[in-house]
Amino acid sequence: MAASMCDVFSFCVGVAGPARVPVEVRFVSSAKGKGLFATQLIRKGETIFVERPLVAAQFLWNALYRYRACDHCLRALEKAEENAQRLTGKPGQVLPHPELCPVRKDLHQNCPHCQVTYCSAECRLAAAEQYHQILCPGPSQDDPAHPLNKLQEAWRSVHYPPETASIMLMARMVATVKQAKDKDRWIRLFSQFCNKTANEEEEIVHKLLGDKFKGQLELLRRLFTEALYEEALSQWFTPDGFRSLFALVGTNGQGIGTSSLSQWVHACDALELKPQDREQLDAFIDQLYKDIEAATGEFLNCEGSGLFVLQSCCNHSCVPNAETSFPENNFLLHVTALEDIKPGEEICISYLDCCQRERSRHSRHKILRENYLFVCSCPKCLAEADEPNMTSEEEEEEEEEEEGEPEDAELGDEMTDV
């Protein structure tokens, strides 16, 4: 049951239909599945498309630790100065040029029933129309016995930071179908994402939940069923179907990061200042990030993940010709060309971060095989095919450090800076 191209392209923002997006989806091979290809010349630096997700959700630990984000679009809700105060642990931290902060608190709205916060009336209404009528706990928002709260607590107990997925992304998928007038359309859209074999699905679930994943998966399935069962999706609630749903989210979920402080910094970078003033401002920002690192570590952003139909068609390359980002401080994903892309050329992004892409072919393949279950055959990997299957001493030290981290540290697409 395949979705039409009109359905696939309908989540692109600011376009009237498929003809306005300079890409097309093609079948590549049984190994790679689908791919995204340019239909016209795309120049370096051009935005290829902007896409909103089918569903998105903030990570549960991220929300619990007071990273305040819009419950629908994940836009950061704190003022940049408030953000800096929390991340540095300094209540008196003051930022220069406060007028550059884009956050509009006067536009924020709460759900009148459960009080979750949205960045705008538009997001509150969009959530209500798509899924929130089903998921709204009303006055039971803080009741630990509420079925959704039991599900979320069970998820937090098995999936610790650094987070790469959320059970609430799956919950919003179900709620979207439950609430939809055209249930078949949404089921077709969710079916667009890549499927794995049973053994591959088990590997993905193992990566997300750890060694005791079978028992934990069954507990989550039971709680998920109690909270959300839907007859039209009955297959998703079976043991095999629930494992497949987990695998779908684990391999297709695109990391989303938003930050009002990052937006403020970008605005500061664009200021036209005298050289001395520029030097002082840059020094202030450098010191601010050092203070944040000392107090908070690497967790700077409001973080979550989403399912993007068109972006999920982009295959990986260790030498990508496009990249993803979230420059609007919300869940709108921008795919931008890193070089000129000719008509008929495949558009590829990288599932690895910048440091990982500089590692040896052996190390890159190890990460991709463990987290995405494929062997890369991009031009860079083919050119390095004769290299020995060894890692450098520096890489071995990094891998030893990573082995001490939670198993899910690298699973999921690279979290793109905003």
Side-chain angles (χ1 to χ4, degrees):
M1 185 166 53
S4 70
M5 284 299 101
C6 286
D7 275 342
V8 169
F9 284 98
S10 66
F11 288 84
C12 290
V13 176
V15 297
R20 299 290 300 277
V21 186
V23 299
E24 64 181 5
V25 180
R26 297 184 199 165
F27 177 76
V28 180
S29 67
S30 56
K32 294 180 71 172
K34 293 175 293 189
L36 203 62
F37 293 80
T39 56
Q40 64 187 53
L41 177 64
I42 302 170
R43 293 294 185 186
K44 178 180 179 180
E46 284 186 10
T47 298
I48 303 171
F49 61 87
V50 179
E51 184 178 14
R52 61 185 171 89
L54 301 186
V55 287
Q58 186 177 6
F59 293 148
L60 291 180
W61 280 105
N62 190 258
L64 191 68
Y65 282 121
R66 297 185 299 115
Y67 288 77
R68 296 185 58 239
C70 173
D71 197 60
H72 182 63
C73 79
L74 274 68
R75 183 184 299 277
L77 298 177
E78 290 177 307
K79 287 278 192 179
E81 190 167 272
E82 293 174 320
N83 195 199
Q85 290 168 352
R86 179 173 57 80
L87 293 176
T88 60
K90 298 178 179 179
Q93 178 72 60
V94 176
L95 298 185
H97 305 290
E99 73 281 359
L100 297 180
C101 175
V103 175
R104 292 281 307 277
K105 287 198 167 187
D106 57 309
L107 298 179
H108 295 178
Q109 292 197 2
N110 293 340
C111 168
H113 307 293
C114 68
Q115 303 304 311
V116 296
T117 307
Y118 299 97
C119 68
S120 63
E122 290 78 10
C123 274
R124 180 178 64 81
L125 291 171
E129 289 175 5
Q130 184 179 336
Y131 56 80
H132 190 65
Q133 293 175 48
I134 296 295
L135 297 179
C136 180
S140 301
Q141 172 75 356
D142 298 318
D143 180 1
H146 189 279
L148 282 174
N149 290 335
K150 289 165 65 177
L151 177 64
Q152 291 178 77
E153 181 57 34
W155 175 259
R156 281 192 292 264
S157 73
V158 299
H159 190 71
Y160 295 97
E163 299 168 272
T164 57
S166 171
I167 195 76
M168 292 310 292
L169 190 66
M170 298 161 60
R172 288 187 178 182
M173 292 170 68
V174 173
T176 293
V177 174
K178 287 174 77 76
Q179 222 174 283
K181 292 180 180 178
D182 187 354
K183 298 183 189 301
D184 287 343
R185 173 178 178 264
W186 282 98
I187 293 172
R188 286 195 302 270
L189 283 165
F190 290 131
S191 72
Q192 293 299 295
F193 297 96
C194 68
N195 298 311
K196 301 292 184 183
T197 66
N199 287 341
E200 289 173 330
E201 288 174 353
E202 285 214 350
E203 287 186 52
I204 296 162
V205 175
H206 184 188
K207 196 75 177 176
L208 282 169
L209 299 182
D211 289 337
K212 299 178 180 179
F213 72 94
K214 290 186 178 178
Q216 292 165 341
L217 187 66
E218 179 54 28
L219 171 63
L220 290 169
R221 187 186 71 84
R222 180 173 58 79
L223 293 172
F224 194 76
T225 302
E226 290 174 4
L228 293 161
Y229 184 77
E230 163 60 38
E231 185 63 35
L233 297 170
S234 58
Q235 175 57 28
W236 286 6
F237 295 88
T238 66
D240 288 348
F242 191 64
R243 184 192 63 218
S244 296
L245 189 61
F246 243 84
L248 183 154
V249 169
T251 52
N252 294 282
Q254 163 69 49
I256 300 170
T258 65
S259 166
S260 55
L261 181 61
S262 176
Q263 293 281 293
W264 175 82
V265 170
H266 287 320
C268 285
D269 290 342
L271 287 174
E272 294 185 6
L273 300 173
K274 296 177 181 178
Q276 184 178 354
D277 293 337
R278 167 56 61 193
E279 187 175 339
Q280 288 179 345
L281 182 58
D282 288 348
F284 173 85
I285 292 171
D286 288 344
Q287 185 58 50
L288 179 66
Y289 275 113
K290 288 178 183 176
D291 292 343
I292 290 173
E293 185 177 5
T296 310
E298 64 186 52
F299 299 103
L300 305 184
N301 298 337
C302 298
E303 296 181 354
S305 64
L307 293 176
F308 297 84
V309 176
L310 205 54
Q311 176 270 340
S312 73
C313 296
C314 292
N315 286 310
H316 163 82
S317 173
C318 298
V319 279
N321 56 11
E323 66 178 357
T324 59
S325 62
F326 297 91
E328 298 186 47
N329 194 35
N330 61 10
F331 64 16
L332 291 180
L333 177 142
H334 289 232
V335 176
T336 306
L338 293 173
E339 59 189 50
D340 288 353
I341 303 174
K342 299 175 184 177
E345 188 176 348
E346 185 174 7
I347 296 167
C348 293
I349 59 176
S350 180
Y351 301 169
L352 305 174
D353 63 33
C354 295
C355 294
Q356 291 169 338
R357 290 201 295 273
E358 295 307 312
R359 291 186 179 184
S360 67
R361 174 178 176 271
H362 175 70
S363 294
R364 297 196 307 273
H365 277 206
K366 182 174 183 289
I367 296 168
L368 292 168
R369 190 165 52 246
E370 289 181 356
N371 294 297
Y372 299 97
L373 311 181
F374 72 87
V375 176
C376 182
S377 58
C378 73
K380 182 175 182 178
C381 287
L382 292 176
E384 297 173 355
D386 293 333
E387 291 185 1
N389 289 335
M390 296 174 63
T391 58
S392 66
E393 290 183 12
E394 291 85 354
E395 289 177 343
E396 286 176 355
E397 290 174 5
E398 288 179 17
E399 288 180 4
E400 286 174 6
E401 290 176 7
E402 287 168 0
E403 285 172 4
E405 296 176 352
E407 283 194 328
D408 57 10
E410 289 172 342
L411 187 64
D413 286 348
E414 175 186 352
M415 182 72 72
T416 310
D417 290 338
V418 293

